[in-house]
Amino acid sequence: MKKPFRVCKNYEFSAIIGQKKSVASNSFVCYFQKRKEEHARVGISVGKKLGNAVCRNKVKRQVRSMIDHLFSFNEEYDLIIIVRPRYHLQDFAQNEKELATNKVRIEKKMKR
């Protein structure tokens, strides 16, 4: 996932989460809002409950890899993915499938 496709600033995270439009699953909570730029952007948040810095960075790399497979960045929304502590209870393929399911649910909500 390239830098222009990331949500990096704290105020951008707060603005998207403040919209309170979300989809939740066992491993992820996904907040979304209509995009404001020409392309979609994604932000990832991993809390300290998941482990030390090495573990959290590994999880972020894995989630970025999932995003590269699932997203074309032509979507109509910006997305914040918050990784839950239950992420470690499933393997990579299950977590990717769960994120894909969340993406489908978000797209259904955006059409309303």
Side-chain angles (χ1 to χ4, degrees), residues 1 22-32 41-46 58-73 75 77-84 86-87 90-108:
M1 185 169 68
S22 66
V23 171
S25 60
N26 287 336
S27 299
F28 304 102
V29 178
C30 300
Y31 290 93
F32 60 95
R41 297 177 308 149
V42 179
I44 303 168
S45 176
V46 181
K58 179 181 177 184
V59 169
K60 283 189 250 183
R61 283 194 307 272
Q62 289 177 346
V63 173
R64 275 191 218 111
S65 174
M66 292 176 200
I67 290 167
D68 285 337
H69 287 124
L70 297 173
F71 286 80
S72 63
F73 298 101
E75 287 81 14
Y77 51 87
D78 289 338
L79 181 66
I80 301 294
I81 300 171
I82 298 176
V83 182
R84 289 181 163 176
R86 294 191 59 155
Y87 178 89
Q90 298 178 346
D91 64 355
F92 182 85
Q94 290 172 323
N95 284 326
E96 187 172 25
K97 186 175 180 183
E98 199 169 294
L99 191 59
T101 304
N102 280 357
K103 182 181 180 220
V104 170
R105 290 173 60 199
I106 289 169
E107 288 170 354
K108 285 182 182 176

Coordinates of all heavy atoms in Angstrom, one line a residue, residues 1 22-32 41-46 58-73 75 77-84 86-87 90-108:
M1 N 0.9 -1.2 0.0 CA 0.0 0.0 0.0 C 0.9 1.2 0.0 O 1.7 1.4 0.9 CB -0.9 0.0 1.2 CG -1.9 1.1 1.3 SD -3.1 0.9 2.5 CE -2.2 1.0 4.0
S22 N -19.8 2.3 10.9 CA -18.9 1.2 11.1 C -19.5 -0.2 10.8 O -20.7 -0.3 10.8 CB -18.4 1.2 12.6 OG -19.4 0.9 13.5
V23 N -18.5 -1.1 10.7 CA -18.9 -2.5 10.5 C -17.9 -3.2 11.4 O -16.7 -2.9 11.4 CB -18.7 -2.9 9.0 CG1 -18.8 -4.4 8.9 CG2 -19.7 -2.2 8.1
A24 N -18.4 -4.2 12.1 CA -17.5 -4.9 13.1 C -17.5 -6.4 12.8 O -18.5 -7.0 12.3 CB -17.9 -4.6 14.5
S25 N -16.4 -7.1 13.1 CA -16.3 -8.5 13.1 C -15.4 -9.0 14.2 O -15.1 -8.1 15.1 CB -15.8 -9.0 11.7 OG -14.5 -8.4 11.5
N26 N -15.1 -10.2 14.3 CA -14.3 -10.7 15.4 C -12.9 -10.1 15.5 O -12.4 -9.7 16.6 CB -14.1 -12.2 15.3 CG -15.4 -13.0 15.7 OD1 -16.2 -12.4 16.4 ND2 -15.5 -14.2 15.2
S27 N -12.3 -9.9 14.3 CA -10.9 -9.4 14.3 C -10.7 -7.9 14.0 O -9.7 -7.3 14.2 CB -10.1 -10.2 13.3 OG -10.1 -11.6 13.7
F28 N -11.8 -7.3 13.4 CA -11.6 -5.9 12.9 C -12.9 -5.1 13.2 O -14.0 -5.6 13.3 CB -11.5 -5.9 11.4 CG -10.3 -6.7 10.9 CD1 -10.6 -8.0 10.3 CD2 -9.0 -6.3 10.9 CE1 -9.5 -8.7 9.8 CE2 -8.0 -7.0 10.5 CZ -8.2 -8.2 9.9
V29 N -12.7 -3.8 13.4 CA -13.7 -2.8 13.4 C -13.3 -1.9 12.3 O -12.2 -1.3 12.2 CB -13.8 -2.0 14.7 CG1 -14.9 -1.0 14.6 CG2 -14.1 -3.0 15.9
C30 N -14.2 -1.6 11.3 CA -13.9 -0.8 10.2 C -14.9 0.4 10.2 O -16.1 0.3 10.1 CB -14.1 -1.6 8.9 SG -13.1 -3.0 8.7
Y31 N -14.3 1.6 10.3 CA -15.0 2.9 10.2 C -14.8 3.4 8.8 O -13.7 3.3 8.2 CB -14.5 3.9 11.2 CG -14.8 3.5 12.6 CD1 -13.9 2.8 13.4 CD2 -16.0 3.9 13.2 CE1 -14.2 2.5 14.7 CE2 -16.3 3.6 14.5 CZ -15.4 2.9 15.3 OH -15.7 2.6 16.5
F32 N -15.8 4.0 8.2 CA -15.7 4.5 6.8 C -16.5 5.8 6.7 O -17.4 6.1 7.5 CB -16.2 3.5 5.8 CG -17.7 3.1 6.0 CD1 -18.7 3.7 5.3 CD2 -18.0 2.1 6.9 CE1 -20.0 3.3 5.5 CE2 -19.3 1.7 7.1 CZ -20.3 2.3 6.4
R41 N -8.6 6.0 0.6 CA -7.4 5.9 1.5 C -7.8 4.9 2.7 O -9.0 4.8 3.0 CB -7.1 7.2 2.1 CG -6.6 8.2 1.0 CD -6.3 9.6 1.5 NE -7.4 10.1 2.3 CZ -7.3 10.9 3.4 NH1 -6.1 11.3 3.7 NH2 -8.3 11.3 4.0
V42 N -6.8 4.3 3.2 CA -7.0 3.4 4.3 C -6.0 3.7 5.4 O -4.8 3.9 5.2 CB -6.8 1.9 3.8 CG1 -6.9 0.9 5.0 CG2 -7.7 1.6 2.7
G43 N -6.5 3.6 6.7 CA -5.7 3.8 7.9 C -5.8 2.5 8.7 O -6.9 1.9 8.8
I44 N -4.7 2.2 9.4 CA -4.7 1.0 10.2 C -4.3 1.4 11.6 O -3.3 2.1 11.8 CB -3.7 -0.1 9.7 CG1 -4.0 -0.4 8.2 CG2 -3.6 -1.3 10.5 CD1 -2.9 -1.2 7.5
S45 N -5.0 0.8 12.6 CA -4.7 1.1 14.0 C -4.7 -0.2 14.7 O -5.6 -1.0 14.7 CB -5.8 2.0 14.6 OG -5.6 2.2 16.0
V46 N -3.5 -0.4 15.4 CA -3.3 -1.7 16.2 C -3.0 -1.2 17.6 O -2.0 -0.6 17.9 CB -2.2 -2.5 15.6 CG1 -2.0 -3.8 16.4 CG2 -2.4 -2.8 14.1
K58 N 4.2 -6.3 12.9 CA 3.9 -7.5 12.0 C 2.5 -7.5 11.6 O 2.2 -7.8 10.4 CB 4.3 -8.7 12.8 CG 4.1 -10.0 12.0 CD 4.4 -11.2 12.8 CE 4.1 -12.5 12.0 NZ 4.3 -13.7 12.8
V59 N 1.6 -7.3 12.6 CA 0.2 -7.3 12.3 C -0.2 -6.2 11.2 O -0.9 -6.4 10.3 CB -0.7 -7.0 13.6 CG1 -2.1 -6.8 13.2 CG2 -0.5 -8.2 14.5
K60 N 0.4 -5.0 11.4 CA 0.2 -3.9 10.4 C 0.7 -4.3 9.0 O 0.0 -4.1 8.0 CB 0.9 -2.6 10.8 CG 0.2 -1.9 11.9 CD 0.8 -0.5 12.1 CE 1.5 -0.5 13.4 NZ 2.1 0.8 13.8
R61 N 1.8 -5.0 8.9 CA 2.3 -5.5 7.6 C 1.4 -6.5 7.0 O 1.1 -6.5 5.8 CB 3.7 -6.1 7.8 CG 4.8 -5.1 7.9 CD 6.2 -5.7 7.7 NE 6.4 -6.9 8.5 CZ 6.9 -6.8 9.8 NH1 7.3 -5.7 10.3 NH2 7.1 -7.9 10.4
Q62 N 0.8 -7.4 7.8 CA -0.1 -8.4 7.3 C -1.4 -7.7 6.8 O -1.9 -8.1 5.8 CB -0.4 -9.4 8.4 CG 0.7 -10.3 8.8 CD 0.4 -11.3 9.9 OE1 -0.6 -11.1 10.7 NE2 1.2 -12.3 10.1
V63 N -1.9 -6.8 7.6 CA -3.1 -6.1 7.2 C -2.9 -5.3 5.9 O -3.8 -5.3 5.0 CB -3.7 -5.2 8.3 CG1 -4.9 -4.4 7.9 CG2 -4.1 -6.1 9.5
R64 N -1.7 -4.7 5.8 CA -1.4 -3.9 4.5 C -1.4 -4.9 3.3 O -1.9 -4.6 2.2 CB -0.1 -3.2 4.6 CG -0.2 -1.9 5.2 CD 1.1 -1.1 5.1 NE 1.3 -0.3 6.3 CZ 2.3 -0.6 7.2 NH1 3.2 -1.5 7.0 NH2 2.4 0.1 8.3
S65 N -0.9 -6.1 3.5 CA -0.9 -7.1 2.5 C -2.3 -7.5 2.1 O -2.6 -7.7 0.9 CB -0.1 -8.3 3.0 OG -0.1 -9.3 2.0
M66 N -3.2 -7.7 3.1 CA -4.6 -8.0 2.8 C -5.2 -6.9 2.0 O -6.0 -7.1 1.1 CB -5.3 -8.2 4.1 CG -5.0 -9.4 5.0 SD -5.9 -9.3 6.5 CE -4.9 -10.4 7.5
I67 N -4.9 -5.6 2.4 CA -5.5 -4.5 1.7 C -5.1 -4.5 0.3 O -5.9 -4.2 -0.7 CB -5.1 -3.2 2.4 CG1 -5.9 -3.1 3.8 CG2 -5.5 -2.0 1.6 CD1 -5.4 -2.1 4.7
D68 N -3.8 -4.8 0.0 CA -3.3 -4.8 -1.4 C -4.0 -5.8 -2.2 O -4.2 -5.6 -3.4 CB -1.8 -5.1 -1.4 CG -0.9 -3.9 -1.0 OD1 -1.4 -2.7 -1.1 OD2 0.2 -4.1 -0.6
H69 N -4.4 -7.0 -1.6 CA -5.1 -8.0 -2.4 C -6.6 -7.6 -2.6 O -7.2 -7.9 -3.6 CB -5.1 -9.3 -1.6 CG -3.7 -10.0 -1.7 ND1 -3.0 -10.3 -0.6 CD2 -3.0 -10.3 -2.8 CE1 -1.9 -10.9 -1.0 NE2 -1.8 -10.9 -2.3
L70 N -7.2 -6.9 -1.6 CA -8.7 -6.7 -1.6 C -9.1 -5.4 -2.2 O -10.2 -5.3 -2.8 CB -9.2 -6.8 -0.2 CG -9.1 -8.1 0.5 CD1 -9.5 -8.0 2.0 CD2 -9.9 -9.2 -0.2
F71 N -8.3 -4.4 -2.2 CA -8.7 -3.0 -2.6 C -8.0 -2.6 -3.9 O -6.9 -2.9 -4.1 CB -8.3 -2.0 -1.5 CG -9.2 -2.1 -0.3 CD1 -9.0 -3.1 0.7 CD2 -10.3 -1.2 -0.1 CE1 -9.8 -3.1 1.8 CE2 -11.1 -1.3 1.0 CZ -10.9 -2.2 2.0
S72 N -8.8 -1.9 -4.7 CA -8.3 -1.3 -5.9 C -8.1 0.2 -5.7 O -7.5 0.9 -6.6 CB -9.3 -1.5 -7.0 OG -10.5 -0.9 -6.8
F73 N -8.5 0.8 -4.6 CA -8.4 2.2 -4.3 C -9.3 3.1 -5.2 O -9.1 4.2 -5.3 CB -7.0 2.7 -4.2 CG -6.2 2.0 -3.1 CD1 -5.3 0.9 -3.4 CD2 -6.4 2.3 -1.8 CE1 -4.7 0.3 -2.4 CE2 -5.7 1.7 -0.8 CZ -4.9 0.6 -1.1
E75 N -12.5 2.7 -4.6 CA -13.7 2.6 -3.8 C -14.2 4.0 -3.5 O -13.5 5.0 -3.6 CB -13.5 1.9 -2.5 CG -13.3 0.4 -2.6 CD -11.9 -0.1 -3.1 OE1 -11.0 0.8 -3.1 OE2 -11.8 -1.2 -3.5
Y77 N -15.0 5.3 -0.6 CA -14.9 5.6 0.8 C -13.5 5.5 1.3 O -12.7 4.8 0.7 CB -15.8 4.7 1.6 CG -15.6 3.2 1.3 CD1 -14.6 2.5 2.0 CD2 -16.3 2.5 0.4 CE1 -14.4 1.2 1.7 CE2 -16.1 1.2 0.1 CZ -15.1 0.5 0.8 OH -14.9 -0.8 0.5
D78 N -13.3 6.3 2.3 CA -12.0 6.2 3.1 C -12.3 5.2 4.3 O -13.4 5.2 4.8 CB -11.6 7.6 3.6 CG -11.1 8.5 2.5 OD1 -10.7 8.0 1.5 OD2 -11.1 9.7 2.8
L79 N -11.3 4.5 4.7 CA -11.5 3.4 5.7 C -10.5 3.5 6.8 O -9.3 3.7 6.5 CB -11.4 2.1 4.9 CG -11.6 0.8 5.6 CD1 -13.1 0.7 6.1 CD2 -11.3 -0.4 4.7
I80 N -10.9 3.2 8.0 CA -10.0 3.1 9.1 C -10.3 1.6 9.6 O -11.4 1.3 9.9 CB -10.3 4.1 10.3 CG1 -10.2 5.5 9.8 CG2 -9.4 3.7 11.5 CD1 -8.8 5.9 9.4
I81 N -9.2 0.8 9.7 CA -9.3 -0.5 10.2 C -8.7 -0.6 11.6 O -7.5 -0.3 11.7 CB -8.6 -1.5 9.3 CG1 -9.3 -1.5 7.9 CG2 -8.6 -2.9 9.8 CD1 -8.5 -2.2 6.8
I82 N -9.5 -0.9 12.6 CA -8.9 -1.1 13.9 C -8.9 -2.6 14.2 O -9.9 -3.3 14.0 CB -9.8 -0.4 15.0 CG1 -9.9 1.1 14.7 CG2 -9.3 -0.7 16.4 CD1 -10.8 1.8 15.6
V83 N -7.7 -3.1 14.5 CA -7.4 -4.5 14.7 C -7.7 -4.9 16.1 O -7.2 -4.3 17.1 CB -6.0 -4.9 14.3 CG1 -5.8 -6.4 14.4 CG2 -5.7 -4.5 12.9
R84 N -8.6 -5.9 16.3 CA -8.9 -6.3 17.7 C -8.0 -7.4 18.2 O -7.3 -8.1 17.4 CB -10.4 -6.9 17.7 CG -11.4 -5.9 17.5 CD -12.8 -6.5 17.5 NE -13.8 -5.5 17.7 CZ -15.1 -5.8 17.7 NH1 -15.5 -7.1 17.5 NH2 -16.0 -4.9 17.9
R86 N -8.5 -10.3 19.2 CA -8.9 -11.6 18.7 C -8.2 -12.0 17.3 O -8.3 -13.1 16.8 CB -10.4 -11.8 18.6 CG -11.0 -11.7 19.9 CD -12.5 -12.1 19.9 NE -12.5 -13.5 19.3 CZ -13.5 -14.3 19.6 NH1 -14.5 -13.9 20.3 NH2 -13.5 -15.5 19.0
Y87 N -7.5 -11.0 16.8 CA -6.8 -11.2 15.5 C -5.9 -12.4 15.5 O -5.8 -13.2 14.6 CB -6.1 -9.9 15.1 CG -5.3 -10.0 13.8 CD1 -5.8 -9.7 12.6 CD2 -3.9 -10.4 13.8 CE1 -5.1 -9.7 11.5 CE2 -3.2 -10.5 12.7 CZ -3.8 -10.1 11.5 OH -3.1 -10.2 10.3
Q90 N -7.0 -16.4 14.9 CA -7.2 -16.9 13.5 C -6.0 -16.8 12.7 O -5.1 -16.0 13.0 CB -8.4 -16.1 12.9 CG -9.7 -16.2 13.6 CD -10.8 -15.4 12.9 OE1 -10.5 -14.5 12.1 NE2 -12.0 -15.6 13.3
D91 N -5.9 -17.6 11.6 CA -4.7 -17.5 10.8 C -5.0 -16.4 9.7 O -6.0 -15.8 9.6 CB -4.4 -18.9 10.1 CG -5.5 -19.4 9.2 OD1 -6.5 -18.7 9.1 OD2 -5.3 -20.4 8.5
F92 N -3.9 -16.2 8.9 CA -3.9 -15.1 7.9 C -5.1 -15.2 6.9 O -5.8 -14.2 6.7 CB -2.6 -15.1 7.2 CG -2.5 -14.0 6.2 CD1 -2.1 -12.7 6.5 CD2 -2.8 -14.2 4.8 CE1 -1.9 -11.7 5.6 CE2 -2.7 -13.2 3.9 CZ -2.3 -11.9 4.3
A93 N -5.4 -16.4 6.4 CA -6.4 -16.6 5.4 C -7.8 -16.3 6.0 O -8.6 -15.7 5.4 CB -6.4 -18.0 4.9
Q94 N -8.0 -16.7 7.2 CA -9.3 -16.4 7.9 C -9.5 -15.0 8.1 O -10.6 -14.4 7.9 CB -9.4 -17.2 9.2 CG -9.6 -18.7 9.1 CD -9.5 -19.4 10.4 OE1 -8.7 -19.0 11.3 NE2 -10.3 -20.5 10.5
N95 N -8.5 -14.3 8.5 CA -8.5 -12.8 8.8 C -8.8 -12.1 7.5 O -9.5 -11.1 7.4 CB -7.3 -12.3 9.5 CG -7.3 -12.7 10.9 OD1 -8.3 -12.7 11.6 ND2 -6.1 -12.9 11.5
E96 N -8.1 -12.5 6.4 CA -8.3 -11.9 5.1 C -9.8 -12.1 4.6 O -10.4 -11.2 4.1 CB -7.3 -12.5 4.1 CG -7.4 -11.7 2.7 CD -6.2 -12.2 1.8 OE1 -5.8 -13.3 1.9 OE2 -5.9 -11.4 0.9
K97 N -10.3 -13.3 4.8 CA -11.7 -13.5 4.4 C -12.6 -12.6 5.2 O -13.6 -12.1 4.7 CB -12.0 -15.0 4.6 CG -13.4 -15.4 4.2 CD -13.5 -16.9 4.3 CE -14.9 -17.3 3.8 NZ -15.2 -18.8 4.0
E98 N -12.3 -12.5 6.5 CA -13.2 -11.6 7.4 C -13.1 -10.2 6.9 O -14.1 -9.5 6.9 CB -12.7 -11.8 8.8 CG -13.6 -11.3 9.9 CD -13.2 -11.7 11.2 OE1 -13.1 -12.9 11.5 OE2 -12.9 -10.8 12.0
L99 N -11.9 -9.7 6.5 CA -11.8 -8.3 6.0 C -12.6 -8.2 4.7 O -13.2 -7.1 4.5 CB -10.3 -8.0 5.9 CG -10.0 -6.5 5.6 CD1 -10.5 -5.6 6.7 CD2 -8.5 -6.3 5.5
A100 N -12.5 -9.2 3.9 CA -13.3 -9.1 2.6 C -14.8 -9.1 2.9 O -15.5 -8.3 2.2 CB -12.9 -10.4 1.8
T101 N -15.2 -9.8 3.9 CA -16.7 -9.8 4.2 C -17.0 -8.4 4.7 O -18.1 -7.8 4.4 CB -16.9 -10.8 5.3 OG1 -16.5 -12.1 4.8 CG2 -18.4 -10.8 5.7
N102 N -16.2 -7.8 5.5 CA -16.4 -6.4 6.0 C -16.5 -5.4 4.8 O -17.3 -4.5 4.8 CB -15.3 -6.0 7.0 CG -15.5 -6.5 8.4 OD1 -16.5 -7.2 8.7 ND2 -14.6 -6.3 9.3
K103 N -15.6 -5.6 3.9 CA -15.6 -4.7 2.7 C -17.0 -4.8 2.0 O -17.5 -3.8 1.6 CB -14.5 -5.1 1.7 CG -14.4 -4.2 0.5 CD -13.3 -4.6 -0.4 CE -13.3 -3.6 -1.6 NZ -13.0 -4.3 -2.8
V104 N -17.5 -6.0 1.8 CA -18.8 -6.2 1.1 C -19.9 -5.5 1.9 O -20.8 -4.8 1.3 CB -19.1 -7.7 0.9 CG1 -20.5 -7.9 0.4 CG2 -18.1 -8.3 -0.1
R105 N -19.8 -5.7 3.2 CA -20.9 -5.0 4.1 C -20.8 -3.5 4.0 O -21.8 -2.8 4.0 CB -20.7 -5.5 5.5 CG -21.1 -7.0 5.7 CD -20.7 -7.5 7.0 NE -21.5 -6.8 8.1 CZ -21.1 -6.8 9.4 NH1 -20.0 -7.5 9.8 NH2 -21.8 -6.2 10.3
I106 N -19.6 -3.0 3.9 CA -19.4 -1.5 3.8 C -20.0 -1.0 2.5 O -20.7 0.0 2.5 CB -18.0 -1.1 4.0 CG1 -17.5 -1.3 5.4 CG2 -17.7 0.3 3.5 CD1 -16.0 -1.2 5.6
E107 N -19.7 -1.8 1.4 CA -20.2 -1.3 0.1 C -21.7 -1.4 0.1 O -22.4 -0.5 -0.6 CB -19.6 -2.2 -1.0 CG -18.1 -1.9 -1.2 CD -17.4 -2.8 -2.1 OE1 -18.0 -3.9 -2.5 OE2 -16.2 -2.5 -2.3
K108 N -22.4 -2.3 0.8 CA -23.8 -2.4 0.8 C -24.4 -1.2 1.6 O -25.4 -0.6 1.2 CB -24.3 -3.7 1.5 CG -24.2 -4.9 0.6 CD -24.7 -6.1 1.4 CE -24.6 -7.3 0.5 NZ -25.0 -8.5 1.2

